[in-house]
Amino acid sequence: MINNEYQAARFKAASLVGRLMATPEGRKYFQENNYKSGQALITADYAETISSVLHRASRHSAPVTVAIVREDGELLMMSMEPTDPAIKSHIKSMSAGSSATIGMMYDACAQQGKRATVKIGDWGPDASATALPSASRILANA
């Protein structure tokens, strides 16, 4: 069992994802955002460091969907995978320090409205991420 400061937010994210997947509209949301059955989905607190989330994501085959809970309880979703070198030059790139949070990465990607890559210190390959549209309306009606 994970016992750290992010545990409650991770459980909250998992609960919200479960509610979302339990509805036809939620399943359509995942399908429209290229989520495939069997694909890894990990949960994170908005304040959790990117490097911590990438460490957990690296245990799974790419792509990985990350469900993030913002401080106000809003569920944010993004897709992450190692950056394909063939398209790297066409993707907005940013660097992040070791204290940068997954929430900051989500916000930066959402602001750009497209895929972005981020290099985290010596983590290894760049991570490529896409902020998915909000599912708040679906959850409000679930």
Side-chain angles (χ1 to χ4, degrees), residues 9-47:
R10 289 178 186 170
F11 286 151
K12 173 76 172 173
S15 173
L16 291 171
V17 167
R19 282 185 45 211
L20 190 59
M21 287 185 163
T23 67
E25 296 85 3
R27 290 187 294 277
K28 182 178 177 185
Y29 168 86
F30 280 102
Q31 182 180 25
E32 288 173 348
N33 288 289
N34 300 316
Y35 180 83
K36 306 284 189 260
S37 180
Q39 180 178 323
L41 188 147
I42 63 173
T43 59
D45 184 289
Y46 187 84

Side-chain angles (χ1 to χ4, degrees), residues 51 54-55 58 82-83 88 118-128:
S51 58
L54 289 179
H55 177 74
S58 70
T83 304
K88 186 174 180 176
V118 65
K119 177 73 172 169
I120 308 296
D122 297 326
W123 180 72
D126 296 349
S128 179

Side-chain angles (χ1 to χ4, degrees), residues 39-142:
Q39 180 178 323
L41 188 147
I42 63 173
T43 59
D45 184 289
Y46 187 84
E48 199 167 341
T49 64
I50 298 170
S51 58
S52 170
V53 176
L54 289 179
H55 177 74
R56 288 187 292 120
S58 70
R59 299 177 189 158
H60 304 281
S61 297
V64 173
T65 299
V66 182
I68 307 160
V69 174
R70 193 185 296 274
E71 295 92 348
D72 63 4
E74 180 184 4
L75 178 66
L76 310 173
M77 305 281 284
M78 65 195 259
S79 176
M80 296 178 73
E81 59 191 321
T83 304
D84 180 349
I87 64 168
K88 186 174 180 176
S89 63
H90 302 289
I91 301 175
K92 170 74 175 163
S93 184
M94 57 187 145
S95 58
S98 60
S99 63
T101 69
I102 196 69
M104 292 168 149
M105 185 174 182
Y106 175 88
D107 290 342
C109 290
Q111 243 181 2
Q112 292 177 28
K114 57 184 178 182
R115 182 171 291 279
T117 63
V118 65
K119 177 73 172 169
I120 308 296
D122 297 326
W123 180 72
D126 296 349
S128 179
T130 303
L132 304 181
S134 174
S136 296
R137 179 194 56 76
I138 298 168
L139 283 169
N141 295 326

